[in-house]
Each structure stands twice: as structure tokens, then as C-alpha cells.
Amino acid sequence: MFGGRELTEGNVLFLHRSWTGRGIYEATFAPAPDGGRRIVAAVVEGDRAHYKPTSDAYDRLMLELVVSAVILGEPAAELRAQLRESTLAKSPRPDGDRAAAAQEHSALGQQP
């Protein structure tokens, strides 16, 4: 879903869908007490013709996961587990675990 194009301007990170180039997320960063950076504000594409959000919680999770796993290359195990739990909660079918794995792959691409 992401990974094709990330752009920054000042303290703002713009995330675009890899297959369309369409901007989906913007995240504003500020210095964190530990010396790193943290997201202090974010916006999500509002045009339903281009992006169909599921919930604010999902968008927060997805934004953090893309930044952590795709951009920073971190394992993001806790965030991945949250995505899996979220997907399983929406898909209580017998193949729900495969659906969760497919959701993760669709959003983050092939991961080691």
C-alpha cells in the first residue's frame, strides 16, 4: 500500500499510495523528550473516492505502522500484533488469520 513515495517538508511527512501516487496521510513531527521525534498531528485523505477509512483508531495504527516498519525498518512487532488483532476482530471467520496476514501484506508489502 505504501512504500513507493514518502516526502518530507520541514517537520511534515507525506505518505502516498504506491500504486496511485495519491497522498493518504500527512504526519507532523516534533522533538520527543528522549531525543527522537514523535507524531504530534496527522491528517488523512477525506475524499471517499480515493480512500475509504475504517476508523480513526485504524488510521492511527496504520500511520504509525507504516512509519515504523516501512520507513524506519523497525520490526514493529507490537504494532503488527495490533493490526492482526484489529483485522481478526473484523473477520471472525475460520480463515481470519489468513485474512489478517493478507491485510498486513497489502498494507506493508513483503516483510522479512
Side-chain angles (χ1 to χ4, degrees), residues 30-82:
D34 66 0
R37 314 269 300 156
R38 67 184 190 101
I39 298 172
V40 294
V43 294
V44 179
E45 168 64 64
D47 184 344
R48 289 186 164 269
H50 298 288
Y51 179 69
K52 294 176 177 62
T54 57
S55 70
D56 288 346
Y58 176 85
D59 284 326
R60 278 192 302 271
L61 174 60
M62 188 56 62
L63 175 60
E64 191 174 348
L65 187 53
V66 169
V67 169
S68 182
V70 176
I71 296 172
L72 298 177
E74 299 172 340
E78 184 176 319
L79 294 170
R80 289 173 187 277
Q82 289 175 26

